[in-house]
Amino acid sequence: WLGAVVVALQGEEFSAFGVSSEDGGIHLLEVPAGSAAAQAGFEAGDVVQKIAGKPVKTVDALLEAAGKIEKDAGTQVIDFVRAQASRSLTIQR
């Protein structure tokens, strides 16, 4: 996703990142310098939870929501967790 290596959270990982299993999320394992994810402001260890208000609990859901961003004009908000704190990035398309 945007040049980052991603996996869905599972098991004990939820508590390690400070998120509930109900909320879920996609862990950004690697965010290479210069990748679109890095340029957008993401870092390795971030956990993406929502794109445009839609929960992303699986990698497929993340890719589907990200594809929608590519099609739609305007701004989209991506909600994520970094260091157990909720954050948001706004992507302009």
Side-chain angles (χ1 to χ4, degrees):
W1 177 66
L2 300 176
V5 176
V6 299
V7 296
L9 292 179
Q10 47 187 301
E12 298 292 321
E13 294 173 335
F14 293 105
S15 63
F17 288 100
V19 300
S20 71
S21 59
E22 292 84 29
D23 290 337
I26 303 300
H27 178 207
L28 279 61
L29 285 175
E30 297 177 24
V31 180
S35 68
Q39 291 173 359
F42 290 104
E43 298 176 3
D46 289 348
V47 176
V48 175
Q49 293 191 296
K50 292 182 183 178
I51 295 180
K54 183 178 178 182
V56 289
K57 297 181 182 184
T58 66
V59 173
D60 286 342
L62 172 74
L63 297 176
E64 180 181 327
K68 185 170 172 34
I69 288 176
E70 293 297 318
K71 293 178 195 171
D72 295 343
T75 59
Q76 298 292 333
V77 176
I78 300 176
D79 297 316
F80 66 103
V81 173
R82 178 180 294 156
Q84 297 191 358
S86 296
R87 299 175 184 236
S88 296
L89 281 175
T90 302
I91 306 292
Q92 182 73 34
R93 168 94 172 98

